Amino acid sequence: MEFYLGLIQIFGVHTIIGLSAYVILLTGQVTMAQAGLVSVGAYASAMLTAMYGWHIVPSVLVGGAAGMVMAVLVGFPALRVKGLIFVIATLAFGEFIRLFWFNFIFQVERGGELVGPNSSDGFRMIRYFPENGWSTWGVAAFIWFWAIIIMAAIWWMDRSRAGSVLRAVGEDEVAAQSVGINLTAVKVSAFAASGLIAGVAGSLYAHYTTHIEQENFTVLLATFAIAYPLLGGLRNIWGTLIAVIFIQGILTEVLRFMGDWRNLLYGILIVLAMNFRPHGLIDANLTDRLKRMFGLRKSSNDART
Amino acid sequence: MDFELYEIIQAFGDGLMKGSTYALMGIGFTLIFGVMQKINMSFAAVSISGAYASLAASILFPEVHVFVVFGASIIFSGMIGYFVYLCCFKWIPLANPLATLMATIGMLFFLEEVVVHATNGMPLPYPAMPFDEYFEFGQYSVRGDLVLIFFMCLIATAVLMYLLYRTRLGIATRAVAQQPIAARLSGISIEKTNAGTFIITGLLGGLAGAMIASTVSVLSVLFFLPVTVKGLIVAVIGGLGSIPGAIVAGLLVGGIEEVALLLRGILERDIYIMVLLFLFLTLRPGGIFSKTFQRN
Amino acid sequence: MKSSLLGGVAVAASVFAAMTLGMSSSAISGERTIHIAGFGVKTGVVRSFGINTEAVLKAAVLHVNSTGGVKLADGSTGKFKLTFYDDRCKAEEGISVVRRIAGTPAVIAIGPTCSNVAEPLFGILQKKRGDASDSGLQMPIFTDTAIKGGLAKISDWAFRNVPNEANMYKALFAWLRTEHPNLKTVFGGVEQDFAHSRFTWHKVMKVAAPAAGYEVVGEAKWLLADTSFTTQVRAMKKANADIISISSHPFTTCGLLKEMKRQRVKPKIIVGLTSSSSMETLTGCGKAAEGIIIPTSFAPVTDAARFAAAKTAEQGGSTDLHSASAWENVMIIKQVIEASSVDAKADTVQADRGKIRDGLAALKTTKGLIGTIKRTAEGEADKPFVFAHAQNSQWAVLHDPAM
């Protein structure tokens, strides 16, 4: 049972990571900075709980806020470019943050031991959950508490004008500008939201693995962050969730019997998925059909989400 | 720590020479972008896989000359490049850049994993180039093989330029890049042209992969991700789409990296390259030889 | 008539068969299964480690089972059953794998391979045995490979059987001092972004060399995926030290050694990192690595070591200082089970885990493949070692301090 609860924890954290990239992907840009933003939330909240004895909830909030601030900081210069140069810019930014943690040493003494980030040694003993007697089920519920709030927020935003504005910018910037949408404001807001979500993900990540180091936050994590929404589809948040369950659940655990062939499958499946379903697993057509099946939409003429 | 001026110049020179390999990578990325407006994230992987494949050939024929191994790397990479084209570009609608980006990322994972499986992750020795030694000039010394690579880089560029500006394939490539609809109307097959571009960049990549492997004379799967990142950065600093830009940027990044290492140490070395990239992105987003500014 | 006779024979035969089967199963029921788990990395760059560890574990388990099994509390015999899991050298997956193991009847888990999995994993274990307010996992972990310093103290449930590099290098530098009294200076090379290599230069080699009377005249640093060592070797050339001590893994060690050859940097002695005393270094740069001296906690210098190496080879793996620990772990676990009245019944799993943990914690010494291993209060090991050197692309024993 512990094992399944542990998996549910992983699903939760990775869904939040994927959603942080989702909001930026909606505006039509591909971001490779998520690993860096996640790391900011991770280190910030871990320092608060492990070094200063904060309670976990304000730590997660501060982690999110730190991610948001960092995202806006990178947002402004990166917004001067777009398209593929933006991808490289965000990738470099993510790496820059990781290199910062590579150098960062800041430790205090707690209970006779030095605790805190220690350059490439990493930051260990982030044991808020076990030290306070949280069960695996409790941690899973806590993680999903945040995941559900974030999913609900994005879902609600998508049904409101904000969602249409974001997607409009994503579809056609020139047209969006011509109807009076302030591109910079929209993009910076998307960045801020993405940073906040990534920061929350990082805080949870740090606490459920109890040890973080710069090696956890490389380009590989950034790639997975965008892979979840791209594979799942940008039509709605469910695609990201399903992609996470597919990759972390089915590929990693169900196919465990395939042993070392699993890693090969990652690459093959991504290539196949992009060839057969370039708009993701859950794209507009599938959403339409599912809705008609469940009677949520009377006819195919019904235009809204 | 105090360093004399000659040591700094020496470091810059060492880095400059090392930068020729970066330049080759940058050219590959920038060429695909220039022609197809897409990034092929698997380009470095193609190059390194080609080098590995050439190693297999050299194991089967142990007496073979080093340049034949390099040639094998070029050919194998060309083939792998075509394979990438098939998997990531042929059938995915070109209007969907996100899907092709993701697909090439998938290819990067796949190629890396194939190599890991084939080699069990162990580093393998790769033949070194001739002149793999230092030539002294007074206080300074220069690595012979790196100079050779630099010249190969220039030759490869010259060949590429010739291909692009003097052959039918080249003209077709540029036509497709600039005006796809008009090109198609003139009877140019977009598919064949794109496939050709991939094969050519694959060939170039094979050369780059072989060069990188021979400068350190070991091939390792650890190369895949860092070489990809380095190549992308060089391509962007040089200006996406500009071959001379990629060369200058490659050399520049190599040189700055080495001087940063000397003066500031290993922990900060890579930070300076990121800073360089940011400076370009904020002040001159189009790169060194920017054709057009890309502003919001 | 004939059919009823045949029928009668058939019935008798099946009754007889059932009785025989019944008897044989009751004969077998004097035997119970002791589930143990192994986990390590079988995918990715370092997959050779996991492949070797699994082979060693299989060989060790086979050996124990075929030489009388393990004595359980009620006098019956237990046979080990091994399940091996791949954690792909990822922290989240390692934690997930151990949770999965905890849900099976396994009484102990041997692993992991990667230090970056061990550190987070130990963090989710219960820190102090018996601390009811700590909801950490209560599963004994007995590490064979992950070697980053000082990890076992993270939890009372974590134990390691990995070499004590501090003692090994202290002994090596002291021995070098007596063998080569005219050498005075040491220059270091370190892979800065890998926890193990970084720790071993800064906290082990750099401490051991001055302790033996050497002067450390400088250090060069690089990253684990670096391909160019020009600037670093120039610094080495300038310092012109007698001994160069390289704390890095095979890939960059080879790159560095080849650059040293290019720049004609020839120290009198080259010392390497324990993890580089493997096949990888020899395959990558056998010629350039000629003569490099590395302390190792495994070499086929005793009958036990040679036996383990041979049995592992039959399972398709090879023994080196990393994988050989797994053999010792299995033997130690057998010893602890026999001394701790373990029941190995379906309903005693958690109690057995606790007994095994307590048994491991109480050990002061254990039998190793090349000598006696001392165990520390923190759950670490102090293993006997030899000094190996690369000769003609093979590892040979240069000096055995036990002799």
Side-chain angles (χ1 to χ4, degrees), chain A residues 2-3 14 102 120-121 124-125 127 130 133-134 205 208-211 213 252-253 256 260 262-263 266, chain C residues 42-43 47 86 88 92-93 96-97 99-100 116 119-120 123 125 127 133-135 148 192-193 198:
Chain A
E2 287 268 310
F3 167 65
H14 282 251
F102 187 29
S120 62
D121 243 8
R124 72 158 77 149
M125 302 301 274
R127 296 188 76 245
W134 288 54
Y205 179 89
Y208 91 157
T209 51
T210 74
H211 165 80
E213 53 182 342
T252 303
E253 295 298 335
R256 188 167 273 283
D260 45 14
R262 283 181 299 166
N263 262 19
Y266 280 107
Chain C
K42 280 177 68 177
T43 323
R47 67 197 292 247
D86 180 3
R88 292 194 301 148
E92 283 166 305
E93 199 157 333
S96 191
V97 156
R99 286 220 170 93
R100 184 191 267 254
N116 63 295
E119 204 162 4
L125 299 174
K127 185 166 165 59
S133 71
D134 185 332
S135 59
K148 176 178 173 187
Q192 260 312 90
D193 59 341
R198 178 173 168 263

Short mmCIF file of all heavy atoms in Angstrom, two decimals, chain A residues 2-3 14 102 120-121 124-125 127 130 133-134 205 208-211 213 252-253 256 260 262-263 266, chain C residues 42-43 47 86 88 92-93 96-97 99-100 116 119-120 123 125 127 133-135 148 192-193 198:
data_model
loop_
_atom_site.label_atom_id
_atom_site.label_comp_id
_atom_site.label_asym_id
_atom_site.label_seq_id
_atom_site.Cartn_x
_atom_site.Cartn_y
_atom_site.Cartn_z
N GLU A 2 1.93 1.19 0.83
CA GLU A 2 2.88 2.31 0.90
C GLU A 2 3.38 2.65 -0.49
O GLU A 2 3.53 3.81 -0.87
CB GLU A 2 4.10 1.90 1.73
CG GLU A 2 3.89 1.80 3.20
CD GLU A 2 4.24 3.11 3.86
OE1 GLU A 2 5.33 3.65 3.60
OE2 GLU A 2 3.40 3.63 4.60
N PHE A 3 3.65 1.59 -1.24
CA PHE A 3 4.19 1.78 -2.58
C PHE A 3 3.24 2.56 -3.46
O PHE A 3 3.64 3.50 -4.15
CB PHE A 3 4.49 0.40 -3.17
CG PHE A 3 4.76 0.42 -4.63
CD1 PHE A 3 5.88 1.07 -5.12
CD2 PHE A 3 3.90 -0.18 -5.52
CE1 PHE A 3 6.13 1.11 -6.48
CE2 PHE A 3 4.15 -0.15 -6.87
CZ PHE A 3 5.26 0.50 -7.36
N HIS A 14 4.80 15.57 -10.07
CA HIS A 14 5.11 15.73 -11.48
C HIS A 14 4.00 16.41 -12.26
O HIS A 14 4.26 17.12 -13.23
CB HIS A 14 5.48 14.36 -12.09
CG HIS A 14 6.88 13.94 -11.75
ND1 HIS A 14 7.89 13.91 -12.67
CD2 HIS A 14 7.42 13.60 -10.58
CE1 HIS A 14 9.01 13.54 -12.08
NE2 HIS A 14 8.75 13.33 -10.80
N PHE A 102 25.23 25.02 -7.42
CA PHE A 102 26.49 24.29 -7.44
C PHE A 102 27.53 25.00 -6.60
O PHE A 102 28.43 24.41 -6.02
CB PHE A 102 26.94 24.19 -8.91
CG PHE A 102 28.13 23.33 -9.15
CD1 PHE A 102 28.43 22.27 -8.34
CD2 PHE A 102 28.95 23.58 -10.23
CE1 PHE A 102 29.53 21.47 -8.59
CE2 PHE A 102 30.04 22.78 -10.49
CZ PHE A 102 30.33 21.73 -9.67
N SER A 120 28.14 21.24 -4.16
CA SER A 120 27.77 20.04 -4.92
C SER A 120 27.44 18.85 -4.03
O SER A 120 27.04 17.82 -4.52
CB SER A 120 28.87 19.66 -5.91
OG SER A 120 30.05 19.35 -5.21
N ASP A 121 27.61 19.03 -2.71
CA ASP A 121 27.21 17.97 -1.80
C ASP A 121 25.71 17.89 -1.68
O ASP A 121 25.15 16.87 -1.33
CB ASP A 121 27.77 18.27 -0.40
CG ASP A 121 28.75 17.21 0.05
OD1 ASP A 121 29.10 16.37 -0.78
OD2 ASP A 121 29.13 17.24 1.21
N ARG A 124 20.92 17.94 2.63
CA ARG A 124 20.29 16.72 3.11
C ARG A 124 19.49 16.97 4.38
O ARG A 124 19.48 18.07 4.91
CB ARG A 124 21.35 15.65 3.38
CG ARG A 124 22.21 15.91 4.62
CD ARG A 124 22.83 14.65 5.13
NE ARG A 124 23.96 14.26 4.29
CZ ARG A 124 25.02 13.62 4.75
NH1 ARG A 124 25.11 13.30 6.01
NH2 ARG A 124 25.99 13.28 3.94
N MET A 125 18.84 15.93 4.86
CA MET A 125 18.07 15.96 6.11
C MET A 125 16.90 16.94 6.04
O MET A 125 16.59 17.61 7.02
CB MET A 125 18.97 16.31 7.31
CG MET A 125 20.11 15.36 7.50
SD MET A 125 19.55 13.67 7.74
CE MET A 125 19.27 13.68 9.47
N ARG A 127 13.83 16.62 6.55
CA ARG A 127 12.97 15.54 7.04
C ARG A 127 11.74 16.04 7.77
O ARG A 127 11.31 15.42 8.74
CB ARG A 127 13.79 14.61 7.95
CG ARG A 127 14.92 13.91 7.24
CD ARG A 127 15.58 12.86 8.11
NE ARG A 127 14.77 11.68 8.20
CZ ARG A 127 14.22 11.23 9.32
NH1 ARG A 127 14.39 11.89 10.45
NH2 ARG A 127 13.49 10.14 9.32
N PRO A 130 8.82 13.02 7.95
CA PRO A 130 8.98 11.93 8.93
C PRO A 130 9.19 12.44 10.34
O PRO A 130 8.68 11.85 11.29
CB PRO A 130 10.22 11.16 8.45
CG PRO A 130 10.75 11.87 7.27
CD PRO A 130 9.87 13.00 6.93
N GLY A 133 6.03 12.97 11.99
CA GLY A 133 5.13 11.83 12.02
C GLY A 133 4.10 11.77 10.91
O GLY A 133 3.08 11.12 11.05
N TRP A 134 4.36 12.42 9.79
CA TRP A 134 3.40 12.33 8.69
C TRP A 134 3.46 10.94 8.08
O TRP A 134 4.53 10.41 7.83
CB TRP A 134 3.74 13.35 7.60
CG TRP A 134 3.47 14.76 7.96
CD1 TRP A 134 3.90 15.46 9.06
CD2 TRP A 134 2.69 15.68 7.20
NE1 TRP A 134 3.46 16.75 9.02
CE2 TRP A 134 2.71 16.92 7.89
CE3 TRP A 134 1.98 15.61 5.99
CZ2 TRP A 134 2.05 18.04 7.42
CZ3 TRP A 134 1.33 16.72 5.52
CH2 TRP A 134 1.37 17.93 6.23
N TYR A 205 8.80 18.60 -3.78
CA TYR A 205 9.85 17.67 -4.20
C TYR A 205 10.93 17.55 -3.13
O TYR A 205 11.35 16.46 -2.76
CB TYR A 205 10.46 18.16 -5.53
CG TYR A 205 11.58 17.29 -6.04
CD1 TYR A 205 11.31 16.20 -6.87
CD2 TYR A 205 12.90 17.54 -5.70
CE1 TYR A 205 12.33 15.40 -7.35
CE2 TYR A 205 13.92 16.74 -6.16
CZ TYR A 205 13.63 15.67 -6.99
OH TYR A 205 14.65 14.87 -7.45
N TYR A 208 9.70 15.54 -0.10
CA TYR A 208 9.42 14.10 -0.19
C TYR A 208 10.61 13.26 -0.61
O TYR A 208 10.57 12.05 -0.55
CB TYR A 208 8.14 13.81 -0.99
CG TYR A 208 8.22 13.59 -2.47
CD1 TYR A 208 7.19 12.88 -3.10
CD2 TYR A 208 9.24 14.07 -3.28
CE1 TYR A 208 7.19 12.67 -4.47
CE2 TYR A 208 9.24 13.85 -4.65
CZ TYR A 208 8.21 13.16 -5.24
OH TYR A 208 8.20 12.96 -6.59
N THR A 209 11.70 13.93 -1.03
CA THR A 209 12.92 13.15 -1.27
C THR A 209 13.96 13.35 -0.17
O THR A 209 14.94 12.63 -0.12
CB THR A 209 13.59 13.52 -2.61
OG1 THR A 209 13.75 14.93 -2.67
CG2 THR A 209 12.79 13.03 -3.78
N THR A 210 13.77 14.31 0.67
CA THR A 210 14.62 14.64 1.82
C THR A 210 16.04 15.07 1.49
O THR A 210 16.82 15.43 2.36
CB THR A 210 14.75 13.47 2.85
OG1 THR A 210 15.60 12.44 2.31
CG2 THR A 210 13.41 12.89 3.20
N HIS A 211 16.41 15.04 0.21
CA HIS A 211 17.77 15.46 -0.15
C HIS A 211 17.73 16.05 -1.54
O HIS A 211 17.19 15.42 -2.45
CB HIS A 211 18.72 14.27 -0.10
CG HIS A 211 20.04 14.52 -0.77
ND1 HIS A 211 21.06 15.23 -0.18
CD2 HIS A 211 20.51 14.17 -1.99
CE1 HIS A 211 22.10 15.29 -1.01
NE2 HIS A 211 21.79 14.66 -2.11
N GLU A 213 20.02 18.25 -4.64
CA GLU A 213 21.31 18.76 -5.09
C GLU A 213 21.13 19.28 -6.50
O GLU A 213 20.15 18.98 -7.17
CB GLU A 213 22.37 17.66 -5.03
CG GLU A 213 21.96 16.39 -5.76
CD GLU A 213 23.02 15.31 -5.64
OE1 GLU A 213 24.17 15.63 -5.32
OE2 GLU A 213 22.68 14.14 -5.87
N THR A 252 7.16 3.51 -16.07
CA THR A 252 8.18 3.24 -15.07
C THR A 252 7.86 2.01 -14.25
O THR A 252 8.75 1.19 -14.00
CB THR A 252 8.32 4.46 -14.13
OG1 THR A 252 8.63 5.58 -14.91
CG2 THR A 252 9.41 4.23 -13.12
N GLU A 253 6.61 1.85 -13.83
CA GLU A 253 6.31 0.77 -12.90
C GLU A 253 5.66 -0.45 -13.54
O GLU A 253 6.09 -1.57 -13.35
CB GLU A 253 5.44 1.29 -11.75
CG GLU A 253 6.14 2.31 -10.87
CD GLU A 253 7.36 1.74 -10.15
OE1 GLU A 253 7.43 0.52 -9.93
OE2 GLU A 253 8.26 2.53 -9.82
N ARG A 256 7.93 -2.42 -15.56
CA ARG A 256 9.18 -2.71 -14.87
C ARG A 256 9.77 -4.03 -15.33
O ARG A 256 10.99 -4.21 -15.38
CB ARG A 256 8.92 -2.75 -13.36
CG ARG A 256 10.14 -2.85 -12.52
CD ARG A 256 9.80 -2.56 -11.07
NE ARG A 256 9.87 -1.14 -10.81
CZ ARG A 256 11.00 -0.47 -10.64
NH1 ARG A 256 12.15 -1.10 -10.73
NH2 ARG A 256 11.00 0.82 -10.42
N ASP A 260 15.74 -3.05 -18.55
CA ASP A 260 16.47 -1.92 -19.10
C ASP A 260 15.99 -1.50 -20.47
O ASP A 260 16.59 -0.64 -21.10
CB ASP A 260 17.97 -2.21 -19.10
CG ASP A 260 18.28 -3.61 -19.61
OD1 ASP A 260 17.36 -4.22 -20.19
OD2 ASP A 260 19.41 -4.07 -19.43
N ARG A 262 13.11 -0.16 -20.71
CA ARG A 262 12.19 0.94 -20.44
C ARG A 262 12.70 2.26 -20.97
O ARG A 262 11.96 3.04 -21.56
CB ARG A 262 11.94 1.07 -18.93
CG ARG A 262 11.00 0.05 -18.37
CD ARG A 262 10.82 0.27 -16.89
NE ARG A 262 12.08 0.14 -16.18
CZ ARG A 262 12.27 0.54 -14.94
NH1 ARG A 262 11.30 1.10 -14.28
NH2 ARG A 262 13.43 0.38 -14.35
N ASN A 263 13.99 2.49 -20.76
CA ASN A 263 14.54 3.78 -21.19
C ASN A 263 14.44 3.96 -22.69
O ASN A 263 14.22 5.06 -23.19
CB ASN A 263 16.00 3.90 -20.75
CG ASN A 263 16.12 4.70 -19.46
OD1 ASN A 263 15.14 4.85 -18.75
ND2 ASN A 263 17.29 5.22 -19.19
N TYR A 266 11.00 5.26 -23.67
CA TYR A 266 10.71 6.68 -23.51
C TYR A 266 10.86 7.40 -24.85
O TYR A 266 9.97 8.08 -25.33
CB TYR A 266 11.67 7.34 -22.52
CG TYR A 266 11.34 7.13 -21.08
CD1 TYR A 266 12.09 6.26 -20.30
CD2 TYR A 266 10.28 7.79 -20.48
CE1 TYR A 266 11.79 6.07 -18.98
CE2 TYR A 266 9.98 7.60 -19.15
CZ TYR A 266 10.75 6.74 -18.40
OH TYR A 266 10.47 6.54 -17.08
N LYS C 42 20.46 -0.59 -13.31
CA LYS C 42 20.70 -1.44 -14.46
C LYS C 42 20.41 -0.73 -15.76
O LYS C 42 20.39 -1.35 -16.82
CB LYS C 42 19.84 -2.71 -14.37
CG LYS C 42 20.43 -3.73 -13.42
CD LYS C 42 19.55 -4.93 -13.30
CE LYS C 42 19.51 -5.70 -14.60
NZ LYS C 42 18.69 -6.91 -14.47
N THR C 43 20.11 0.56 -15.67
CA THR C 43 19.79 1.30 -16.88
C THR C 43 20.64 2.56 -16.90
O THR C 43 20.88 3.16 -15.89
CB THR C 43 18.32 1.76 -16.85
OG1 THR C 43 17.54 0.76 -16.25
CG2 THR C 43 17.83 2.06 -18.23
N ARG C 47 25.10 1.42 -15.87
CA ARG C 47 24.37 0.16 -15.73
C ARG C 47 25.27 -1.02 -15.45
O ARG C 47 24.83 -2.03 -14.91
CB ARG C 47 23.53 -0.12 -16.97
CG ARG C 47 24.30 -0.40 -18.23
CD ARG C 47 23.41 -0.23 -19.43
NE ARG C 47 22.39 -1.25 -19.49
CZ ARG C 47 22.31 -2.18 -20.41
NH1 ARG C 47 23.22 -2.24 -21.34
NH2 ARG C 47 21.33 -3.06 -20.41
N ASP C 86 15.52 -2.43 -10.43
CA ASP C 86 16.32 -1.40 -11.08
C ASP C 86 15.83 -0.03 -10.64
O ASP C 86 14.66 0.30 -10.81
CB ASP C 86 16.16 -1.58 -12.60
CG ASP C 86 16.95 -0.58 -13.40
OD1 ASP C 86 17.69 0.24 -12.81
OD2 ASP C 86 16.84 -0.60 -14.63
N ARG C 88 17.42 2.86 -11.66
CA ARG C 88 17.85 3.80 -12.69
C ARG C 88 18.60 5.00 -12.16
O ARG C 88 18.66 6.03 -12.83
CB ARG C 88 16.64 4.26 -13.53
CG ARG C 88 16.08 3.12 -14.36
CD ARG C 88 15.14 3.57 -15.43
NE ARG C 88 14.03 4.29 -14.88
CZ ARG C 88 13.42 5.27 -15.51
NH1 ARG C 88 13.83 5.66 -16.69
NH2 ARG C 88 12.40 5.86 -14.94
N GLU C 92 13.87 9.58 -6.86
CA GLU C 92 12.44 9.28 -6.69
C GLU C 92 12.17 7.80 -6.93
O GLU C 92 11.39 7.17 -6.23
CB GLU C 92 11.61 10.10 -7.67
CG GLU C 92 11.44 11.54 -7.28
CD GLU C 92 10.92 12.37 -8.43
OE1 GLU C 92 11.54 12.35 -9.50
OE2 GLU C 92 9.88 13.02 -8.25
N GLU C 93 12.84 7.25 -7.95
CA GLU C 93 12.58 5.86 -8.26
C GLU C 93 13.17 4.95 -7.20
O GLU C 93 12.59 3.91 -6.85
CB GLU C 93 13.16 5.50 -9.64
CG GLU C 93 12.55 4.26 -10.20
CD GLU C 93 12.68 4.19 -11.70
OE1 GLU C 93 12.75 5.25 -12.33
OE2 GLU C 93 12.71 3.06 -12.22
N SER C 96 10.77 4.90 -4.44
CA SER C 96 9.62 4.12 -4.86
C SER C 96 9.92 2.63 -4.79
O SER C 96 9.10 1.83 -4.32
CB SER C 96 9.26 4.53 -6.28
OG SER C 96 8.03 4.02 -6.66
N VAL C 97 11.10 2.25 -5.25
CA VAL C 97 11.49 0.84 -5.25
C VAL C 97 11.55 0.31 -3.82
O VAL C 97 11.06 -0.79 -3.53
CB VAL C 97 12.85 0.67 -5.96
CG1 VAL C 97 13.56 -0.58 -5.49
CG2 VAL C 97 12.67 0.61 -7.46
N ARG C 99 9.96 1.43 -1.23
CA ARG C 99 8.59 1.32 -0.72
C ARG C 99 7.95 0.04 -1.24
O ARG C 99 7.23 -0.66 -0.52
CB ARG C 99 7.75 2.51 -1.15
CG ARG C 99 8.08 3.78 -0.40
CD ARG C 99 6.81 4.57 -0.06
NE ARG C 99 7.14 5.66 0.85
CZ ARG C 99 7.42 6.89 0.47
NH1 ARG C 99 7.42 7.19 -0.81
NH2 ARG C 99 7.73 7.80 1.38
N ARG C 100 8.21 -0.25 -2.50
CA ARG C 100 7.67 -1.48 -3.08
C ARG C 100 8.23 -2.68 -2.34
O ARG C 100 7.52 -3.61 -2.00
CB ARG C 100 8.06 -1.54 -4.56
CG ARG C 100 7.48 -2.72 -5.29
CD ARG C 100 8.14 -2.83 -6.65
NE ARG C 100 7.38 -2.14 -7.67
CZ ARG C 100 6.65 -2.76 -8.59
NH1 ARG C 100 6.57 -4.05 -8.60
NH2 ARG C 100 6.01 -2.06 -9.49
N ASN C 116 23.59 9.29 -5.00
CA ASN C 116 22.51 10.26 -5.06
C ASN C 116 21.14 9.63 -4.88
O ASN C 116 20.15 10.33 -4.79
CB ASN C 116 22.54 11.06 -6.37
CG ASN C 116 22.34 10.18 -7.57
OD1 ASN C 116 23.15 9.34 -7.87
ND2 ASN C 116 21.23 10.37 -8.27
N GLU C 119 21.44 8.85 -0.48
CA GLU C 119 21.25 9.96 0.46
C GLU C 119 19.78 10.30 0.68
O GLU C 119 19.33 10.40 1.82
CB GLU C 119 22.06 11.17 -0.01
CG GLU C 119 22.39 12.11 1.12
CD GLU C 119 23.53 13.06 0.78
OE1 GLU C 119 24.03 13.04 -0.36
OE2 GLU C 119 23.89 13.83 1.68
N PRO C 120 18.98 10.51 -0.41
CA PRO C 120 17.57 10.76 -0.15
C PRO C 120 16.87 9.56 0.48
O PRO C 120 16.04 9.72 1.37
CB PRO C 120 16.98 11.03 -1.55
CG PRO C 120 18.10 11.09 -2.49
CD PRO C 120 19.33 10.62 -1.82
N GLY C 123 17.19 9.30 4.05
CA GLY C 123 16.42 10.36 4.70
C GLY C 123 14.97 9.99 4.96
O GLY C 123 14.36 10.51 5.89
N LEU C 125 14.01 7.03 5.83
CA LEU C 125 13.94 5.97 6.83
C LEU C 125 13.78 6.60 8.21
O LEU C 125 14.15 7.75 8.43
CB LEU C 125 15.22 5.13 6.82
CG LEU C 125 15.57 4.38 5.54
CD1 LEU C 125 16.93 3.73 5.68
CD2 LEU C 125 14.51 3.34 5.24
N LYS C 127 14.75 7.76 11.63
CA LYS C 127 16.10 8.15 11.99
C LYS C 127 16.61 7.38 13.21
O LYS C 127 17.69 6.81 13.18
CB LYS C 127 16.15 9.65 12.27
CG LYS C 127 17.57 10.16 12.53
CD LYS C 127 17.61 11.68 12.47
CE LYS C 127 18.87 12.25 13.05
NZ LYS C 127 20.09 11.81 12.42
N SER C 133 7.60 8.90 17.25
CA SER C 133 7.08 10.10 16.60
C SER C 133 7.63 10.25 15.19
O SER C 133 7.20 11.12 14.44
CB SER C 133 7.48 11.34 17.43
OG SER C 133 8.87 11.55 17.29
N ASP C 134 8.56 9.41 14.81
CA ASP C 134 9.18 9.50 13.49
C ASP C 134 8.50 8.48 12.57
O ASP C 134 8.56 7.27 12.81
CB ASP C 134 10.68 9.18 13.63
CG ASP C 134 11.44 9.37 12.32
OD1 ASP C 134 10.84 9.22 11.24
OD2 ASP C 134 12.65 9.66 12.40
N SER C 135 7.83 9.01 11.54
CA SER C 135 7.07 8.11 10.68
C SER C 135 7.90 7.57 9.53
O SER C 135 7.37 7.09 8.54
CB SER C 135 5.86 8.84 10.12
OG SER C 135 6.31 9.96 9.40
N LYS C 148 29.63 7.62 -1.24
CA LYS C 148 29.83 8.98 -0.72
C LYS C 148 29.93 8.95 0.79
O LYS C 148 29.15 8.29 1.47
CB LYS C 148 28.65 9.87 -1.15
CG LYS C 148 28.72 11.27 -0.58
CD LYS C 148 27.55 12.11 -1.08
CE LYS C 148 27.55 13.45 -0.35
NZ LYS C 148 26.38 14.25 -0.66
N GLN C 192 34.87 18.03 -9.68
CA GLN C 192 34.19 18.81 -8.65
C GLN C 192 32.70 18.56 -8.54
O GLN C 192 32.12 18.83 -7.51
CB GLN C 192 34.33 20.30 -8.95
CG GLN C 192 35.35 21.11 -8.22
CD GLN C 192 35.46 20.99 -6.74
OE1 GLN C 192 36.19 20.17 -6.25
NE2 GLN C 192 34.74 21.83 -6.03
N ASP C 193 32.06 18.08 -9.61
CA ASP C 193 30.60 18.02 -9.54
C ASP C 193 30.08 16.63 -9.23
O ASP C 193 28.91 16.36 -9.46
CB ASP C 193 29.96 18.55 -10.82
CG ASP C 193 30.40 17.79 -12.05
OD1 ASP C 193 31.43 17.11 -11.99
OD2 ASP C 193 29.72 17.89 -13.08
N ARG C 198 34.60 14.51 -5.30
CA ARG C 198 34.88 15.77 -4.65
C ARG C 198 35.28 15.54 -3.20
O ARG C 198 36.28 16.05 -2.71
CB ARG C 198 33.64 16.66 -4.73
CG ARG C 198 33.78 17.99 -4.05
CD ARG C 198 32.55 18.84 -4.35
NE ARG C 198 32.51 20.00 -3.49
CZ ARG C 198 31.82 20.09 -2.37
NH1 ARG C 198 31.10 19.07 -1.97
NH2 ARG C 198 31.84 21.18 -1.65
#
